[in-house]
Amino acid sequence: MILRLAAQSLWARVLTVGMTILAIALSVALFLGVEKTRTGARASFADTISGTDLIVGARSGSVQLLLYSVFRIGNATNNVTWQSYQDIAARPEVDWIVPISLGDSHRQFRVMGTTDAFFTRYKFRGGRSLGFSQGQGLNDLYDAVIGADVAATLGYSVGDPIIVSHGVASFTEHDDQPFRVSGILAKTGTPVDRTVIVGLEAIEAIHVDWKNGGQTGRTTPAEVIRQMDLTPTAITAALVGVNSRLQIFKLQRWINEYPEEPLLALLPGVALQELWQIVGVAEKALIGVSGMVVVTALLGMMAMVFASLNERRREMAIWRAMGARPMTILGLLVLEAMLMAGIGAILGYCLLYVGLLGLRPWVDSAFGIWLPIEAPSIRELWVVTGVVGAAALASLLPALRAYRLSLADGMMVKI
Amino acid sequence: MTDPALALTDVTFAWPGRGGFVLSCADFSMSRGETVLLLGASGSGKSTLLSLICGIVAADAGQISVSGVDMKTLGAGGRDRFRAENIGVIFQQFNLLPYASIADNIRLPLRFAPKRRNRAKDSLAEAARLCAALGLPDEVLRTTAGRLSVGQQQRVAVARALIGQPPLIVADEPTSALDAATQDTFLGLLFDQVASAGSSLLMVSHDERLGARFDRVLRIEDIATSQRAVA
């Protein structure tokens, strides 16, 4: 009965209580949204690469190499010569090696040159392999395999032509050598979904008439290009698998000390840890700010309870006259605050999931972060419990005031 | 010989921090089933006296006994429980919870009074019976106070005070908001139900015309003195 009366009391002040609940709901949704995005980003990054022992690129920062080679974020400052690549591939520790060549784009999507080995060696999300939802791999020089998001965003299907642009943000197109979509990859939740994959030789082919970053003015026919030696002179990076995990560090040291050119070999997991350390400060700041928003909403609730105390003195006097102890009055106000916070937290959760449902595809395609819609985690349940607990604590101050008022007014308040 | 329903002996009380208002009551008692009208002007200490009798505040000195129980022997919590079990209160302003249904309003005291709850047995049926006896239609139980007329709200307040048959009913100017004709009807119903429950009734009012129905009519000056210290 007390719970029902507390709920009815809240309902009687639906406008002010509703605004308070909405403020709590929005703050909880923001807090959990930040948390969801943070964990989603970590999971998405961690799931992006699996089974690759080393990533090799021109010497730079390890995080930079990881970002441009795996996540297609940023650009390489230098390339790896084909000779160096072959030297690494010839090492006895190497089980497999996949070259990747980046630099061009199609619409807003990166174009990556690689070999067929990429489709079998690239693993994600704990060892899953790439699969085709339509078509097949690279069988012709001008074949292109596109990721699921590329196909969905641009409405491509197998057989459609693709014109590759030179560079990442360029208006110059390699329109003299169009590609054809030979296959569409199944959704992976990784940057591969937003990548156009072509053969390594194809990258050389479209740059036959280019020199030092500019067009030479010649237009070599495709038939002639097909007859040319299209072995690349340089690549952007390489993914490496070793025969034995015990050999990883030996190979890494050899590559890092490679005398012919400055190279960097990194362990993806270690580079990811470095990345988390860098973004950790921003994460904490975000969590702190969103936490303060929750605190502000709870302070707003406390102010609302304080403001309503005077007009509720008669109500408290009724409770006292009926036999309620001052502690019951205190408990009633705390219960009301917990109800408000509980409803606000649940509403916040609902808002979060509605937001996730609406924004998830956009976040995925824009940032490559897959935000899972799943049952609340233990940590999230603790957050909700914490909000309700904090609301109980915040309401103690006005509740104690009500306690004192009910002692002073007794049942004879005349207001 | 049974204990009186209410007895006050050499009681004094001063509200802390309220301009030095002091109330003294040398001797006052009510027998069981008796109805007493206590007349007094505004500010004469009627409400303070009722707060003392109900155990909301404790007397600084003297003895207050309700149904033979000395209130001084009870702590603050004990007085709250005792009030819930033994005293039904009717307010001048009706004081119904505006958001709760009439059924919940009438049954509210039972939440804090197990003995009254046992006496009421089926509390909803008892609330309906009291409403019917007080001339309220059955459907009011499901509505809220704001939808009732002033007269209906006052009857609901009576039903709330009477449910579970507390030995003492305390009424603080319950007729002040009613016109003369409605006052008469209301008092008739109140007296019928108080008699039916076997309760004692102490009503305070400034309206001398109500006196005819009561066993005794007293002026507050006859039993208590109040004074306000001059700063």
Side-chain angles (χ1 to χ4, degrees):
Chain A
M1 186 180 187
I2 296 284
L3 185 66
R4 189 171 73 241
L5 288 174
Q8 286 171 341
S9 170
L10 291 177
W11 183 249
R13 291 169 283 133
V14 68
L15 193 63
T16 49
V17 168
M19 293 304 287
T20 306
I21 287 175
L22 188 64
I24 293 171
L26 288 173
S27 68
V28 168
L30 177 70
F31 187 85
L32 292 177
V34 167
E35 182 66 9
K36 209 80 172 167
T37 308
R38 189 182 70 84
T39 52
R42 283 197 175 218
S44 290
F45 270 60
D47 284 346
T48 294
I49 191 157
S50 169
T52 296
D53 296 314
L54 289 172
I55 298 171
V56 180
R59 191 167 295 165
S60 59
S62 55
V63 171
Q64 186 192 4
L65 172 56
L66 180 79
L67 287 176
Y68 71 70
S69 63
V70 177
F71 299 104
R72 322 274 186 266
I73 298 171
N75 293 297
T77 50
N78 216 335
N79 284 333
V80 178
T81 63
W82 186 247
Q83 184 57 53
S84 299
Y85 167 79
Q86 284 184 312
D87 286 350
I88 297 166
R91 291 289 301 175
E93 298 92 347
V94 173
D95 179 29
W96 55 267
I97 184 164
V98 176
I100 56 175
S101 185
L102 299 160
D104 289 338
S105 63
H106 173 67
R107 313 281 281 267
Q108 71 269 41
F109 299 105
R110 293 291 186 99
V111 172
M112 182 179 80
T114 187
T115 61
D116 283 337
F118 180 79
F119 298 108
T120 53
R121 293 300 185 183
Y122 177 80
K123 309 281 183 193
F124 64 99
R125 209 165 289 174
R128 291 190 199 177
S129 297
L130 294 173
F132 284 87
S133 62
Q134 283 182 49
Q136 53 194 332
L138 307 170
N139 295 320
D140 182 77
L141 182 63
Y142 294 110
D143 274 356
V145 170
I146 58 176
D149 289 348
V150 180
T153 307
L154 303 178
Y156 287 164
S157 52
V158 173
D160 286 348
I162 281 183
I163 303 292
V164 172
S165 301
H166 185 72
V168 177
S170 163
F171 295 106
T172 314
E173 295 190 322
H174 297 286
D175 50 2
D176 55 327
Q177 295 178 69
F179 285 80
R180 184 192 69 92
V181 176
S182 64
I184 298 171
L185 292 170
K187 179 88 178 170
T188 63
T190 72
V192 171
D193 294 340
R194 297 179 301 284
T195 305
V196 174
I197 301 169
V198 299
L200 204 58
E201 295 80 6
I203 296 290
E204 291 301 313
I206 58 178
H207 293 102
V208 163
D209 296 325
W210 289 65
K211 207 162 195 177
N212 299 327
Q215 286 173 296
T216 58
R218 291 197 312 266
T219 307
T220 309
E223 295 74 32
V224 176
I225 291 173
R226 284 178 184 278
Q227 306 307 315
M228 294 169 70
D229 177 13
L230 296 173
T231 303
T233 53
I235 57 169
T236 308
L239 310 180
V240 179
V242 295
N243 291 312
S244 162
R245 289 194 163 266
L246 297 172
Q247 298 171 324
I248 291 176
F249 295 108
K250 183 182 173 191
L251 180 62
Q252 185 187 25
R253 191 166 58 248
W254 184 85
I255 294 170
N256 286 339
E257 293 171 356
Y258 185 66
E260 304 304 322
E261 67 173 320
L263 297 176
L264 174 67
L266 62 84
L267 283 82
V270 174
L272 267 177
Q273 280 305 317
E274 281 183 37
L275 183 62
W276 298 146
Q277 280 173 5
I278 293 167
V279 299
V281 177
E283 279 183 350
K284 282 178 186 151
L286 263 179
I287 291 170
V289 169
S290 53
M292 285 311 292
V293 173
V294 176
V295 170
T296 306
L298 291 176
L299 286 175
M301 182 201 71
M302 189 167 87
M304 189 277 283
V305 177
F306 257 125
S308 66
L309 276 189
N310 207 38
E311 66 192 53
R312 296 184 70 191
R313 282 168 75 175
R314 189 190 302 285
E315 180 189 335
M316 289 181 267
I318 298 169
W319 281 88
R320 289 281 281 142
M322 295 304 114
R325 301 170 64 180
M327 279 302 287
T328 309
I329 304 290
L330 185 144
L332 186 71
L333 290 189
V334 172
L335 183 65
E336 284 183 11
M338 290 172 73
L339 270 177
M340 278 192 279
I343 294 169
I346 291 167
L347 190 63
Y349 238 112
C350 295
L351 284 174
L352 173 68
Y353 280 111
V354 169
L356 279 179
L357 277 173
L359 294 175
R360 189 162 67 152
W362 176 76
V363 172
D364 182 28
S365 63
F367 303 106
I369 296 170
W370 184 245
L371 301 174
I373 295 178
E374 53 198 14
S377 65
I378 298 292
R379 185 182 163 93
E380 288 166 342
L381 288 176
W382 272 114
V383 168
V384 172
T385 311
V387 168
V388 175
L393 276 177
S395 68
L396 268 182
L397 217 55
L400 281 169
R401 167 92 179 130
Y403 174 95
R404 291 201 189 97
L405 278 175
S406 70
L407 276 177
D409 288 340
M411 61 179 190
M412 301 305 174
V413 62
K414 284 180 177 153
I415 52 175
Chain B
M1 186 180 147
T2 58
D3 293 312
L6 173 66
L8 285 80
T9 311
D10 298 327
V11 171
T12 59
F13 174 76
W15 281 108
R18 291 197 188 178
F21 180 88
V22 178
L23 181 84
S24 306
C25 177
D27 181 38
F28 170 64
S29 66
M30 283 176 67
S31 55
R32 293 186 183 233
E34 188 182 16
T35 59
V36 173
L37 177 65
L38 194 59
L39 294 169
S42 294
S44 59
K46 300 192 299 287
S47 294
T48 301
L49 188 63
L50 292 189
S51 285
L52 284 164
I53 291 168
C54 292
I56 292 283
V57 289
D60 297 330
Q63 187 181 52
I64 300 171
S65 297
V66 178
S67 299
V69 175
D70 183 356
M71 300 289 264
K72 196 183 274 182
T73 62
L74 304 172
R79 289 201 306 274
D80 290 328
R81 280 192 293 276
F82 184 82
R83 177 172 66 256
E85 289 286 9
N86 295 281
I87 304 172
V89 184
I90 306 168
F91 292 96
Q92 182 180 10
Q93 301 292 333
F94 328 131
N95 286 358
L96 304 178
L97 293 176
Y99 47 80
S101 70
I102 295 304
D104 280 345
N105 263 291
I106 294 173
R107 292 184 297 169
L108 184 60
L110 304 183
R111 171 69 183 73
F112 308 103
K115 287 178 191 162
R116 279 174 77 176
R117 192 159 59 235
N118 287 340
R119 281 198 292 269
K121 293 191 178 80
D122 182 348
S123 63
L124 192 60
E126 178 64 3
R129 186 193 69 76
L130 281 166
C131 282
L134 289 161
L136 290 166
D138 202 34
E139 54 267 25
V140 298
L141 287 169
R142 290 180 293 279
T143 192
T144 51
R147 296 177 181 275
L148 301 184
S149 68
V150 171
Q152 285 176 319
Q153 287 186 50
Q154 194 59 295
R155 291 179 206 189
V156 171
V158 171
R160 184 177 62 183
L162 286 168
I163 195 164
Q165 300 173 319
L168 177 64
I169 304 294
V170 169
D172 183 14
E173 304 210 40
T175 58
S176 62
L178 306 177
D179 60 55
T182 316
Q183 271 183 6
D184 200 49
T185 310
F186 169 77
L187 284 177
L189 291 167
L190 174 63
F191 271 76
D192 286 348
Q193 291 309 306
V194 166
S196 160
S199 305
S200 309
L201 172 65
L202 173 64
M203 182 187 291
V204 297
S205 176
H206 61 272
D207 190 348
E208 297 182 16
R209 292 172 301 169
L210 305 176
R213 286 184 178 270
F214 289 82
D215 298 330
R216 261 198 301 164
V217 178
L218 297 169
R219 292 191 170 278
I220 194 157
E221 308 89 84
D222 299 335
I223 63 164
T225 57
S226 60
Q227 60 187 58
R228 196 176 295 274
V230 178

